[in-house]
mmCIF file of all heavy atoms in Angstrom:
data_model
loop_
_atom_site.group_PDB
_atom_site.id
_atom_site.type_symbol
_atom_site.label_atom_id
_atom_site.label_comp_id
_atom_site.label_asym_id
_atom_site.label_seq_id
_atom_site.Cartn_x
_atom_site.Cartn_y
_atom_site.Cartn_z
ATOM 1 N N ILE A 329 130.855 62.477 -27.106
ATOM 2 C CA ILE A 329 131.604 62.211 -25.873
ATOM 3 C C ILE A 329 132.439 60.852 -26.037
ATOM 4 O O ILE A 329 133.503 60.839 -25.619
ATOM 5 C CB ILE A 329 130.565 61.985 -24.783
ATOM 6 C CG1 ILE A 329 129.930 63.313 -24.410
ATOM 7 C CG2 ILE A 329 131.244 61.469 -23.457
ATOM 8 C CD1 ILE A 329 128.761 63.200 -23.503
ATOM 9 N N ALA A 330 131.819 59.871 -26.637
ATOM 10 C CA ALA A 330 132.577 58.675 -26.962
ATOM 11 C C ALA A 330 133.812 58.883 -27.817
ATOM 12 O O ALA A 330 134.860 58.383 -27.591
ATOM 13 C CB ALA A 330 131.630 57.593 -27.526
ATOM 14 N N SER A 331 133.528 59.632 -28.882
ATOM 15 C CA SER A 331 134.688 59.855 -29.807
ATOM 16 C C SER A 331 135.806 60.753 -29.185
ATOM 17 O O SER A 331 136.912 60.599 -29.566
ATOM 18 C CB SER A 331 134.153 60.497 -31.164
ATOM 19 O OG SER A 331 133.631 61.789 -30.883
ATOM 20 N N GLY A 332 135.345 61.669 -28.297
ATOM 21 C CA GLY A 332 136.314 62.436 -27.547
ATOM 22 C C GLY A 332 137.189 61.596 -26.750
ATOM 23 O O GLY A 332 138.490 61.710 -26.771
ATOM 24 N N TRP A 333 136.698 60.725 -26.007
ATOM 25 C CA TRP A 333 137.501 59.753 -25.140
ATOM 26 C C TRP A 333 138.408 58.852 -26.056
ATOM 27 O O TRP A 333 139.582 58.707 -25.738
ATOM 28 C CB TRP A 333 136.510 58.876 -24.366
ATOM 29 C CG TRP A 333 137.239 57.642 -23.793
ATOM 30 C CD1 TRP A 333 136.993 56.335 -24.033
ATOM 31 C CD2 TRP A 333 138.320 57.638 -22.789
ATOM 32 N NE1 TRP A 333 137.865 55.529 -23.371
ATOM 33 C CE2 TRP A 333 138.675 56.359 -22.560
ATOM 34 C CE3 TRP A 333 138.972 58.644 -22.119
ATOM 35 C CZ2 TRP A 333 139.680 56.009 -21.677
ATOM 36 C CZ3 TRP A 333 140.021 58.251 -21.254
ATOM 37 C CH2 TRP A 333 140.315 56.929 -21.043
ATOM 38 N N GLN A 334 137.875 58.428 -27.148
ATOM 39 C CA GLN A 334 138.688 57.564 -28.078
ATOM 40 C C GLN A 334 139.875 58.490 -28.656
ATOM 41 O O GLN A 334 140.949 57.925 -28.790
ATOM 42 C CB GLN A 334 137.803 57.068 -29.249
ATOM 43 C CG GLN A 334 136.829 55.988 -28.811
ATOM 44 C CD GLN A 334 135.763 55.743 -29.845
ATOM 45 O OE1 GLN A 334 135.752 56.286 -30.878
ATOM 46 N NE2 GLN A 334 134.786 54.911 -29.443
ATOM 47 N N ALA A 335 139.633 59.732 -28.925
ATOM 48 C CA ALA A 335 140.690 60.564 -29.476
ATOM 49 C C ALA A 335 141.771 60.766 -28.362
ATOM 50 O O ALA A 335 142.973 60.729 -28.701
ATOM 51 C CB ALA A 335 140.122 61.907 -29.843
ATOM 52 N N VAL A 336 141.431 60.874 -27.069
ATOM 53 C CA VAL A 336 142.406 60.985 -26.039
ATOM 54 C C VAL A 336 143.116 59.749 -25.920
ATOM 55 O O VAL A 336 144.414 59.731 -25.671
ATOM 56 C CB VAL A 336 141.677 61.449 -24.768
ATOM 57 C CG1 VAL A 336 142.640 61.348 -23.554
ATOM 58 C CG2 VAL A 336 141.061 62.833 -24.830
ATOM 59 N N GLU A 337 142.414 58.522 -25.979
ATOM 60 C CA GLU A 337 143.128 57.310 -25.905
ATOM 61 C C GLU A 337 144.132 57.129 -27.036
ATOM 62 O O GLU A 337 145.266 56.661 -26.816
ATOM 63 C CB GLU A 337 142.077 56.164 -26.060
ATOM 64 C CG GLU A 337 141.392 55.798 -24.735
ATOM 65 C CD GLU A 337 140.568 54.504 -24.899
ATOM 66 O OE1 GLU A 337 139.789 54.373 -25.926
ATOM 67 O OE2 GLU A 337 140.756 53.618 -24.060
ATOM 68 N N ARG A 338 143.821 57.524 -28.211
ATOM 69 C CA ARG A 338 144.766 57.458 -29.345
ATOM 70 C C ARG A 338 145.940 58.370 -29.183
ATOM 71 O O ARG A 338 147.049 58.043 -29.430
ATOM 72 C CB ARG A 338 144.023 57.810 -30.720
ATOM 73 C CG ARG A 338 143.030 56.832 -31.178
ATOM 74 C CD ARG A 338 142.615 57.067 -32.606
ATOM 75 N NE ARG A 338 142.070 58.345 -32.855
ATOM 76 C CZ ARG A 338 140.756 58.636 -32.698
ATOM 77 N NH1 ARG A 338 139.919 57.611 -32.413
ATOM 78 N NH2 ARG A 338 140.263 59.862 -32.896
ATOM 79 N N ALA A 339 145.693 59.619 -28.633
ATOM 80 C CA ALA A 339 146.723 60.537 -28.371
ATOM 81 C C ALA A 339 147.704 59.904 -27.316
ATOM 82 O O ALA A 339 148.943 59.942 -27.497
ATOM 83 C CB ALA A 339 146.242 61.831 -27.940
ATOM 84 N N ALA A 340 147.124 59.299 -26.330
ATOM 85 C CA ALA A 340 148.058 58.673 -25.276
ATOM 86 C C ALA A 340 148.856 57.527 -25.862
ATOM 87 O O ALA A 340 149.984 57.306 -25.628
ATOM 88 C CB ALA A 340 147.119 58.205 -24.018
ATOM 89 N N ALA A 341 148.136 56.628 -26.609
ATOM 90 C CA ALA A 341 148.796 55.438 -27.126
ATOM 91 C C ALA A 341 149.887 55.857 -28.148
ATOM 92 O O ALA A 341 151.037 55.230 -28.202
ATOM 93 C CB ALA A 341 147.791 54.645 -27.909
ATOM 94 N N SER A 342 149.665 56.895 -28.896
ATOM 95 C CA SER A 342 150.690 57.301 -29.859
ATOM 96 C C SER A 342 152.070 57.802 -29.217
ATOM 97 O O SER A 342 153.057 57.765 -29.830
ATOM 98 C CB SER A 342 150.205 58.436 -30.808
ATOM 99 O OG SER A 342 149.995 59.706 -30.086
ATOM 100 N N ARG A 343 151.880 58.256 -27.955
ATOM 101 C CA ARG A 343 153.039 58.702 -27.258
ATOM 102 C C ARG A 343 153.429 57.777 -26.166
ATOM 103 O O ARG A 343 154.362 58.038 -25.351
ATOM 104 C CB ARG A 343 152.738 59.975 -26.489
ATOM 105 C CG ARG A 343 152.388 61.165 -27.545
ATOM 106 C CD ARG A 343 152.013 62.433 -26.796
ATOM 107 N NE ARG A 343 153.011 62.960 -25.931
ATOM 108 C CZ ARG A 343 152.797 63.835 -25.008
ATOM 109 N NH1 ARG A 343 151.610 64.350 -24.799
ATOM 110 N NH2 ARG A 343 153.836 64.261 -24.261
ATOM 111 N N GLY A 344 152.850 56.550 -26.160
ATOM 112 C CA GLY A 344 153.277 55.498 -25.245
ATOM 113 C C GLY A 344 152.967 55.838 -23.789
ATOM 114 O O GLY A 344 153.693 55.491 -22.899
ATOM 115 N N LEU A 345 151.850 56.579 -23.551
ATOM 116 C CA LEU A 345 151.489 56.992 -22.194
ATOM 117 C C LEU A 345 150.158 56.509 -21.793
ATOM 118 O O LEU A 345 149.279 56.122 -22.699
ATOM 119 C CB LEU A 345 151.374 58.558 -22.230
ATOM 120 C CG LEU A 345 152.678 59.363 -22.550
ATOM 121 C CD1 LEU A 345 152.332 60.816 -22.647
ATOM 122 C CD2 LEU A 345 153.732 59.183 -21.495
ATOM 123 N N PRO A 346 149.946 56.375 -20.532
ATOM 124 C CA PRO A 346 148.614 55.921 -20.040
ATOM 125 C C PRO A 346 147.579 57.024 -20.374
ATOM 126 O O PRO A 346 147.878 58.231 -20.203
ATOM 127 C CB PRO A 346 148.855 55.676 -18.531
ATOM 128 C CG PRO A 346 149.975 56.547 -18.216
ATOM 129 C CD PRO A 346 150.885 56.536 -19.344
ATOM 130 N N ALA A 347 146.354 56.680 -20.627
ATOM 131 C CA ALA A 347 145.327 57.673 -20.732
ATOM 132 C C ALA A 347 144.845 58.210 -19.450
ATOM 133 O O ALA A 347 145.008 57.650 -18.471
ATOM 134 C CB ALA A 347 144.107 56.981 -21.557
ATOM 135 N N PRO A 348 144.392 59.483 -19.475
ATOM 136 C CA PRO A 348 143.869 60.072 -18.245
ATOM 137 C C PRO A 348 142.579 59.370 -17.760
ATOM 138 O O PRO A 348 142.107 58.423 -18.475
ATOM 139 C CB PRO A 348 143.592 61.530 -18.585
ATOM 140 C CG PRO A 348 144.212 61.755 -19.952
ATOM 141 C CD PRO A 348 144.326 60.394 -20.642
ATOM 142 N N ASP A 349 142.014 59.810 -16.684
ATOM 143 C CA ASP A 349 140.883 59.208 -16.057
ATOM 144 C C ASP A 349 139.660 59.362 -17.015
ATOM 145 O O ASP A 349 139.383 60.469 -17.413
ATOM 146 C CB ASP A 349 140.538 59.912 -14.794
ATOM 147 C CG ASP A 349 139.401 59.300 -14.118
ATOM 148 O OD1 ASP A 349 139.447 58.174 -13.546
ATOM 149 O OD2 ASP A 349 138.247 60.025 -14.150
#
Side-chain angles (χ1 to χ4, degrees):
I329 293 168
S331 64
W333 164 246
Q334 291 163 6
V336 172
E337 277 192 311
R338 287 194 301 271
S342 69
R343 297 176 60 194
L345 298 172
D349 181 75

